[in-house]
Structure formats: structure tokens, C-alpha cells
Amino acid sequence: QVHLVESGGGLVQAGGSLRLSCVASGHTFTTVTMGWFRQAPGKDREFVAAISWSGGNTEYADSVKGRFTISRDNAKTTVYLQMNSLKPEDTAVYFCASSPWATRTVPLYNYWGQGTQVTVSS
């Protein structure tokens, strides 16, 4: 079973940067797609970014393209989300997750971390 733990969230001013990390347990890390999602209060969880097991293929939500970068280090079983030029609308709880498929669909992700809060002030 895959266990995921996020870290790196916090409070930042608009225009600033944060880097989120997600450490995964288990031998399956190198064979799964890893994704980042976010959820604001009262709203649905939404896709942010995903990366293939090799790191060669990435996908981003339109709202974060050009600002966020997803990467992974399989030796460290860790996936990262570098967030630049942050906006107040980026404020949410950010979750990492894993899926057997290359997808941005929430129900197809099998394992989830506990989430880390990102707050962007105006």
C-alpha cells in the first residue's frame, strides 16, 4: 500500500514562491503517476499537475501553466511542486496522490496524502 505525506505549505505574499514535497512509501512509486490536487473551502477538489513514473511526461491545469512545475525524484521517492508567481486564488489545501493511470481525474487516484495548507495573501 502506498503512503503519502505532504509538506512545504505555508503563508506567502502574492507573487511569492513555495515548494511542496510529497514523500511516498512502498516499491510502487516508480511505476505510478503522481499528481497534485487542491481544494478550497466549500469547493470541489481540482487537478493541478501530474507527472509520469519516468518524469518524462507532465500535465498542468490551465490555471497554473507557466507558474507551477511538477517534478519527481524516484531515488528519494519524492514528488515536488514548485509554485511561482502565486496568486490569492491559489489558496487551498494541496494534496498529492498516486494513480495506476496517466490521468487528471480525481476518482482514478488510489492513494492520497493528508494535505498541506497554502495561503497566499494579497
Side-chain angles (χ1 to χ4, degrees):
Q1 183 169 307
V2 177
H3 181 66
L4 307 173
V5 179
E6 304 98 332
S7 63
L11 175 64
V12 65
Q13 294 186 97
S17 298
L18 284 173
R19 188 181 76 160
L20 306 183
S21 299
C22 174
V23 179
S25 65
H27 301 305
T28 60
F29 183 79
T30 59
T31 63
V32 299
T33 294
M34 298 298 300
W36 285 98
F37 298 79
R38 65 188 183 187
Q39 187 167 24
K43 298 182 179 179
D44 292 334
R45 191 164 300 186
E46 67 174 358
F47 171 79
V48 176
I51 187 168
S52 64
W53 70 269
S54 68
N57 295 300
T58 58
E59 294 287 337
Y60 297 94
D62 289 342
S63 59
V64 306
K65 285 181 179 178
R67 299 189 298 121
F68 291 9
T69 302
I70 188 171
S71 62
R72 67 191 292 168
D73 185 335
N74 289 344
K76 297 180 179 179
T77 64
T78 301
V79 62
Y80 305 95
L81 186 68
Q82 178 66 47
M83 305 185 295
N84 299 325
S85 301
L86 283 162
K87 305 174 181 179
E89 52 262 45
D90 295 319
T91 295
V93 177
Y94 283 70
F95 301 88
C96 68
S98 65
S99 175
W101 302 280
T103 181
R104 58 177 68 194
T105 303
V106 170
L108 297 182
Y109 281 77
N110 305 106
Y111 299 99
W112 295 82
Q114 84 289 347
T116 185
Q117 177 70 47
V118 172
T119 303
V120 184
S121 62
S122 61

